[in-house]
Amino acid sequence: MKRNKLLFEFLLIMVAAVIFTGCPKRPGKEIDAAKEAINAAKAAEAPTYAPDEFQSAEEMLAKAIAQSEEKKFKDSKQSAISAKERADLARELALKRKTQKQKETPPAQEEVRFKEPSLTEIPEEEKTGEKGALGEGIKVKSLKVIHFNFDSYILTQDAKDILKENAEWLEEMQKIHVLIEGHCDERGTEEYNLALGSRRAENIKSYLVQMGIAPERLSTISYGEEFPVDAQQSEEAWAKNRRAEFVIIEK
Amino acid sequence: MEFFHFTRKICGGKLTPLFVAFFSFLSIFAIAKVYIDIESPEAKRIAIAVQSPIQMSEGSEDSDSVKFYLDTLRNDLDLSGLFAQIDEKAFLEQPSQELMQRENINFTQWSVIGSEALLKTGYWVTGTDMKVLVRLFDVLNGELLLGKTYECPLSSAKYLAHRIANDVIKAFTGTDSFMETKIAFISNAAGKKEMYIMDIDGTNIRRITNHRSAVVSPSWNPGGTQILFTSYLRRNPDLYLYDFINGKMFTVSKREGLNISGVFAPDGKRIALTLSQNGNPEIYIMDIGSGSLTQITHSWGIDVSPAFSPDGKQVAFVSDRSGTPQVFVMNSDGSNVKRLTFEGKYNASPRWSPDGKRIVFSRMAADNINFKIFAMKPDGSESFQITNGPGSDENPSWAPDSRHILFNSTRDGNSELYITSITGKYLRRLTKTPYDETGPAWSPVIEFKISTR
């Protein structure tokens, strides 16, 4: 095997010698120029302002280097020239976009501002000072919390009794709009609990509509297990967290 | 292999196909055999000696990058759970350029210290680039298992290490590892639940959202360039898409009610999601290009958490149509619905393995509190428990190798991220914070630009 190896190496060198004379020169100059152009593009913040163009320049340079390593000098030279062109383009674009961006006013941060409901309608003694799960609206004393059994959106008799009282109050307060929040305890998956909370809120809405409340006055939202009232891990805490709450909002 | 490299060195592209074919034939003898059967629970860890890299030429040096490379490589090999690394102090041979050559290595010096494999690396630093020569040997017979040269900018030393770790692992297992992946997850470290990404080794943590409400259920596209997630940014659980290439967020669905559990189809052109626009949570398929919707579930109860099979023809999902949450499967047009889980009161979070052989899910334990991770065949048969111990294990997500699972668990108190092998033999904790990390999503393999020879 060792002798074979030597023989192969000898043959290879012979073949290589023949081929080697045909190889063009390493395009060092072109690669250096491309590297310089990429550095200039980087200085002009091309990675931020012209990321696609900059990336393609970098890729082309990597290709040029790889081709040069593989002794494909002709290809390498072409790649290096192309890399430089792309880097120059990236630099130009970046400079242009940067000045453009500086002229524009920065885009407003997308943020939801909650409109406060018109509190004049609500009697002073009703206000609890508590807000909805995301800090919106207000909660009132007469719209009481409804509780559920584990993994259930069925309204218990207790729940129905409370809902009747809630409906009576809503009958008196014709102008207010209510958001029904569906919540779950922490057990179970987040996604299933989002669906469960949605069913809880929807069931309450249907029941209130049956009681004669106009559906346009009622919205629903599910918060799944995201906003527990009691973060402890106990049967008592979980029972408190499986609930629907009512928040008066501006619609 | 040696010969092949030699020929390529002489004049790369100028070799005739016949010439290449001849030497490729020789290289057949060097094809790595499978040393570790990861599926086997008894698989033993391989004793490996990882030598410090040796500088191959005079010139500029960047010891920081080289050290960073070595630390990352060692950590990756450790993270794989396949190797036991031998303490460098026990080594009887100092690294040198001559000793990069197989014929110069005294393999007895390595076998006496108990190593079965020897990993040697040599490096060159030129300007802003680094080149690394990797030689992996079987100590017992001196066989070369991996001989490759890698090249990349110095700034990519970390990804270079991940690639080399992957190739070393592959030399023993025959398949790609999970070293070149990222993890998306949810954390309340900033107060509210926001989405973050990090590398598989727990480094490079980056916050993606600043919605100051609640973000849940991240899920990757097949190319590893986008993440679907649900956020309460606009006071409703709406579905969004974050694109890493242009760093922008898009709204995918903001219909009234739920817009949740979005997942990409394997073709990357469709998504499955849960909407409650008609009052009841149902699963829909959305064509991303046109935005058109097709409802694929029609039951009185909850239908949620769709998961595509890797061929895109089937969808596993969770439904309470039989009374309690259970895992079902259907064709992706909604036909042929079958229930898969019958044991336990609560089975959820199905995820199909990339090789299509198994569905992983979480099941509520007999205590009616905690969940454990299980897996089954896609027809519901041969289910088995993967995780054990205290606390609740939820939200399983497959590694691209179909052998490891990422999940969140409260086994150590608050919710943290862990990786387990499906045999349960390998277990690694990824995060350690005073906050809650949940809903992890394992990315597909994301190959970083590194040229190899």
Side-chain angles (χ1 to χ4, degrees), chain A residues 107-140:
Chain A
Q109 177 83 29
E110 193 168 2
E111 203 173 293
V112 181
R113 299 220 176 271
F114 302 120
K115 270 200 278 177
E116 288 300 322
S118 51
L119 301 177
T120 46
E121 298 293 324
I122 304 158
E124 207 51 42
E125 68 272 17
E126 280 290 339
K127 294 173 190 169
T128 63
E130 285 175 39
K131 291 177 169 296
L134 289 176
E136 79 283 37
I138 63 155
K139 289 182 190 164
V140 292

Short mmCIF file of all heavy atoms in Angstrom, two decimals, chain A residues 107-140:
data_model
loop_
_atom_site.label_atom_id
_atom_site.label_comp_id
_atom_site.label_asym_id
_atom_site.label_seq_id
_atom_site.Cartn_x
_atom_site.Cartn_y
_atom_site.Cartn_z
N PRO A 107 -40.65 57.05 12.40
CA PRO A 107 -42.02 56.54 12.45
C PRO A 107 -42.52 56.45 13.89
O PRO A 107 -41.76 56.09 14.80
CB PRO A 107 -41.90 55.15 11.83
CG PRO A 107 -40.47 54.79 11.96
CD PRO A 107 -39.70 56.06 11.93
N ALA A 108 -43.77 56.81 14.08
CA ALA A 108 -44.33 56.79 15.42
C ALA A 108 -44.36 55.36 15.95
O ALA A 108 -44.71 54.44 15.22
CB ALA A 108 -45.74 57.35 15.40
N GLN A 109 -43.94 55.17 17.18
CA GLN A 109 -43.97 53.86 17.82
C GLN A 109 -45.42 53.40 17.90
O GLN A 109 -46.29 54.14 18.35
CB GLN A 109 -43.38 53.96 19.23
CG GLN A 109 -43.42 52.70 20.03
CD GLN A 109 -42.26 51.78 19.69
OE1 GLN A 109 -41.20 52.23 19.31
NE2 GLN A 109 -42.48 50.48 19.82
N GLU A 110 -45.65 52.19 17.38
CA GLU A 110 -47.02 51.69 17.40
C GLU A 110 -47.41 51.37 18.83
O GLU A 110 -46.84 50.49 19.46
CB GLU A 110 -47.14 50.44 16.53
CG GLU A 110 -48.57 50.11 16.30
CD GLU A 110 -48.70 49.05 15.22
OE1 GLU A 110 -47.68 48.59 14.71
OE2 GLU A 110 -49.83 48.71 14.92
N GLU A 111 -48.35 52.09 19.36
CA GLU A 111 -48.73 51.88 20.73
C GLU A 111 -50.22 52.13 20.83
O GLU A 111 -50.75 53.07 20.24
CB GLU A 111 -47.97 52.86 21.62
CG GLU A 111 -47.87 52.40 23.04
CD GLU A 111 -46.98 53.31 23.86
OE1 GLU A 111 -45.77 53.36 23.61
OE2 GLU A 111 -47.53 53.99 24.72
N VAL A 112 -50.91 51.26 21.54
CA VAL A 112 -52.35 51.45 21.67
C VAL A 112 -52.62 52.32 22.88
O VAL A 112 -52.19 52.00 23.98
CB VAL A 112 -53.07 50.10 21.83
CG1 VAL A 112 -54.57 50.30 21.94
CG2 VAL A 112 -52.75 49.20 20.66
N ARG A 113 -53.28 53.41 22.66
CA ARG A 113 -53.66 54.25 23.79
C ARG A 113 -55.12 53.96 24.11
O ARG A 113 -55.98 54.03 23.26
CB ARG A 113 -53.48 55.72 23.44
CG ARG A 113 -52.03 56.06 23.10
CD ARG A 113 -51.65 57.40 23.69
NE ARG A 113 -50.25 57.68 23.45
CZ ARG A 113 -49.28 57.29 24.28
NH1 ARG A 113 -49.56 56.65 25.38
NH2 ARG A 113 -48.02 57.58 24.00
N PHE A 114 -55.36 53.63 25.35
CA PHE A 114 -56.72 53.26 25.72
C PHE A 114 -57.55 54.51 25.99
O PHE A 114 -57.14 55.39 26.75
CB PHE A 114 -56.71 52.38 26.97
CG PHE A 114 -55.90 51.15 26.77
CD1 PHE A 114 -54.82 50.88 27.58
CD2 PHE A 114 -56.21 50.26 25.76
CE1 PHE A 114 -54.06 49.75 27.40
CE2 PHE A 114 -55.46 49.12 25.57
CZ PHE A 114 -54.38 48.86 26.39
N LYS A 115 -58.68 54.52 25.32
CA LYS A 115 -59.60 55.64 25.57
C LYS A 115 -60.32 55.36 26.88
O LYS A 115 -60.80 54.26 27.11
CB LYS A 115 -60.61 55.76 24.42
CG LYS A 115 -60.12 56.68 23.31
CD LYS A 115 -61.28 57.16 22.47
CE LYS A 115 -61.66 56.11 21.44
NZ LYS A 115 -62.84 56.51 20.64
N GLU A 116 -60.40 56.36 27.72
CA GLU A 116 -61.13 56.19 28.97
C GLU A 116 -62.62 56.28 28.69
O GLU A 116 -63.06 57.11 27.90
CB GLU A 116 -60.72 57.28 29.97
CG GLU A 116 -59.32 57.10 30.54
CD GLU A 116 -59.15 55.78 31.29
OE1 GLU A 116 -60.09 55.36 31.97
OE2 GLU A 116 -58.07 55.16 31.17
N PRO A 117 -63.42 55.43 29.31
CA PRO A 117 -64.87 55.54 29.10
C PRO A 117 -65.41 56.82 29.75
O PRO A 117 -64.80 57.35 30.68
CB PRO A 117 -65.41 54.30 29.80
CG PRO A 117 -64.38 53.93 30.79
CD PRO A 117 -63.07 54.36 30.23
N SER A 118 -66.53 57.30 29.24
CA SER A 118 -67.13 58.50 29.83
C SER A 118 -67.73 58.12 31.18
O SER A 118 -68.73 57.41 31.25
CB SER A 118 -68.19 59.08 28.90
OG SER A 118 -69.08 58.07 28.53
N LEU A 119 -67.05 58.55 32.21
CA LEU A 119 -67.41 58.11 33.55
C LEU A 119 -68.63 58.82 34.12
O LEU A 119 -69.12 58.44 35.18
CB LEU A 119 -66.21 58.29 34.49
CG LEU A 119 -64.94 57.55 34.07
CD1 LEU A 119 -63.80 57.86 35.02
CD2 LEU A 119 -65.18 56.05 34.03
N THR A 120 -69.10 59.83 33.40
CA THR A 120 -70.23 60.60 33.92
C THR A 120 -71.48 59.73 34.07
O THR A 120 -72.30 59.96 34.94
CB THR A 120 -70.55 61.78 32.98
OG1 THR A 120 -70.54 61.29 31.65
CG2 THR A 120 -69.55 62.90 33.14
N GLU A 121 -71.57 58.70 33.21
CA GLU A 121 -72.74 57.82 33.24
C GLU A 121 -72.78 56.95 34.49
O GLU A 121 -73.84 56.49 34.90
CB GLU A 121 -72.70 56.88 32.02
CG GLU A 121 -72.77 57.57 30.69
CD GLU A 121 -74.12 58.23 30.48
OE1 GLU A 121 -75.12 57.66 30.92
OE2 GLU A 121 -74.14 59.33 29.90
N ILE A 122 -71.59 56.67 35.03
CA ILE A 122 -71.50 55.67 36.10
C ILE A 122 -71.56 56.35 37.48
O ILE A 122 -70.79 57.27 37.75
CB ILE A 122 -70.19 54.87 35.97
CG1 ILE A 122 -70.14 54.25 34.56
CG2 ILE A 122 -70.08 53.80 37.03
CD1 ILE A 122 -68.76 53.91 34.12
N PRO A 123 -72.48 55.87 38.32
CA PRO A 123 -72.57 56.43 39.67
C PRO A 123 -71.24 56.30 40.41
O PRO A 123 -70.55 55.28 40.26
CB PRO A 123 -73.64 55.58 40.35
CG PRO A 123 -74.39 54.90 39.25
CD PRO A 123 -73.47 54.80 38.09
N GLU A 124 -70.91 57.34 41.17
CA GLU A 124 -69.63 57.40 41.87
C GLU A 124 -69.37 56.16 42.74
O GLU A 124 -68.26 55.62 42.75
CB GLU A 124 -69.60 58.68 42.71
CG GLU A 124 -68.22 59.26 42.97
CD GLU A 124 -67.36 59.44 41.70
OE1 GLU A 124 -67.88 59.89 40.64
OE2 GLU A 124 -66.18 59.11 41.78
N GLU A 125 -70.42 55.70 43.46
CA GLU A 125 -70.22 54.59 44.40
C GLU A 125 -69.94 53.26 43.68
O GLU A 125 -69.51 52.30 44.28
CB GLU A 125 -71.43 54.45 45.34
CG GLU A 125 -72.72 54.00 44.67
CD GLU A 125 -73.56 55.16 44.12
OE1 GLU A 125 -73.00 56.27 43.98
OE2 GLU A 125 -74.74 54.94 43.81
N GLU A 126 -70.16 53.21 42.36
CA GLU A 126 -69.92 51.99 41.59
C GLU A 126 -68.44 51.79 41.25
O GLU A 126 -67.97 50.67 41.05
CB GLU A 126 -70.71 52.01 40.28
CG GLU A 126 -72.17 51.63 40.43
CD GLU A 126 -72.34 50.16 40.74
OE1 GLU A 126 -71.41 49.38 40.46
OE2 GLU A 126 -73.39 49.78 41.28
N LYS A 127 -67.70 52.89 41.17
CA LYS A 127 -66.32 52.82 40.66
C LYS A 127 -65.40 52.10 41.65
O LYS A 127 -65.36 52.44 42.83
CB LYS A 127 -65.79 54.23 40.39
CG LYS A 127 -66.53 54.92 39.25
CD LYS A 127 -66.11 56.36 39.10
CE LYS A 127 -67.03 57.07 38.12
NZ LYS A 127 -66.83 58.53 38.13
N THR A 128 -64.64 51.11 41.13
CA THR A 128 -63.74 50.36 42.00
C THR A 128 -62.31 50.85 41.90
O THR A 128 -61.47 50.51 42.73
CB THR A 128 -63.73 48.87 41.59
OG1 THR A 128 -63.21 48.79 40.26
CG2 THR A 128 -65.11 48.27 41.64
N GLY A 129 -62.00 51.59 40.85
CA GLY A 129 -60.62 52.03 40.65
C GLY A 129 -59.78 50.96 39.95
O GLY A 129 -58.64 51.20 39.59
N GLU A 130 -60.36 49.77 39.73
CA GLU A 130 -59.62 48.71 39.03
C GLU A 130 -59.83 48.81 37.53
O GLU A 130 -60.87 49.24 37.06
CB GLU A 130 -60.10 47.34 39.51
CG GLU A 130 -59.60 46.98 40.89
CD GLU A 130 -60.21 45.67 41.37
OE1 GLU A 130 -60.35 44.76 40.54
OE2 GLU A 130 -60.56 45.59 42.55
N LYS A 131 -58.81 48.38 36.80
CA LYS A 131 -58.85 48.44 35.34
C LYS A 131 -58.85 47.03 34.75
O LYS A 131 -58.70 46.05 35.48
CB LYS A 131 -57.67 49.23 34.82
CG LYS A 131 -57.75 50.71 35.16
CD LYS A 131 -56.54 51.47 34.70
CE LYS A 131 -56.74 52.97 34.79
NZ LYS A 131 -57.79 53.47 33.89
N GLY A 132 -59.00 46.96 33.42
CA GLY A 132 -58.95 45.67 32.73
C GLY A 132 -57.55 45.10 32.72
O GLY A 132 -56.60 45.76 33.15
N ALA A 133 -57.38 43.87 32.20
CA ALA A 133 -56.11 43.16 32.24
C ALA A 133 -54.98 43.93 31.56
O ALA A 133 -53.83 43.85 31.98
CB ALA A 133 -56.26 41.78 31.60
N LEU A 134 -55.29 44.68 30.50
CA LEU A 134 -54.24 45.43 29.81
C LEU A 134 -54.29 46.91 30.17
O LEU A 134 -53.82 47.76 29.43
CB LEU A 134 -54.35 45.24 28.30
CG LEU A 134 -53.96 43.85 27.78
CD1 LEU A 134 -54.21 43.74 26.29
CD2 LEU A 134 -52.50 43.53 28.10
N GLY A 135 -54.90 47.21 31.29
CA GLY A 135 -54.89 48.58 31.80
C GLY A 135 -55.94 49.48 31.19
O GLY A 135 -55.85 50.70 31.29
N GLU A 136 -56.95 48.87 30.54
CA GLU A 136 -57.95 49.71 29.90
C GLU A 136 -59.25 49.72 30.69
O GLU A 136 -59.51 48.83 31.51
CB GLU A 136 -58.23 49.20 28.46
CG GLU A 136 -59.14 47.99 28.37
CD GLU A 136 -58.44 46.69 28.73
OE1 GLU A 136 -57.60 46.68 29.65
OE2 GLU A 136 -58.77 45.67 28.13
N GLY A 137 -60.10 50.73 30.44
CA GLY A 137 -61.45 50.80 31.01
C GLY A 137 -61.48 50.85 32.53
O GLY A 137 -60.45 51.10 33.18
N ILE A 138 -62.68 50.61 33.08
CA ILE A 138 -62.80 50.52 34.55
C ILE A 138 -63.74 49.39 34.91
O ILE A 138 -64.59 48.99 34.13
CB ILE A 138 -63.30 51.84 35.18
CG1 ILE A 138 -64.72 52.17 34.70
CG2 ILE A 138 -62.36 53.00 34.95
CD1 ILE A 138 -65.47 53.03 35.69
N LYS A 139 -63.54 48.86 36.13
CA LYS A 139 -64.44 47.83 36.63
C LYS A 139 -65.41 48.47 37.62
O LYS A 139 -65.04 49.41 38.33
CB LYS A 139 -63.64 46.73 37.33
CG LYS A 139 -62.83 45.89 36.36
CD LYS A 139 -62.09 44.79 37.08
CE LYS A 139 -61.10 44.11 36.17
NZ LYS A 139 -60.14 43.30 36.92
N VAL A 140 -66.65 47.96 37.65
CA VAL A 140 -67.64 48.50 38.59
C VAL A 140 -68.11 47.40 39.53
O VAL A 140 -68.02 46.21 39.22
CB VAL A 140 -68.86 49.11 37.84
CG1 VAL A 140 -68.47 50.35 37.08
CG2 VAL A 140 -69.51 48.08 36.93
#
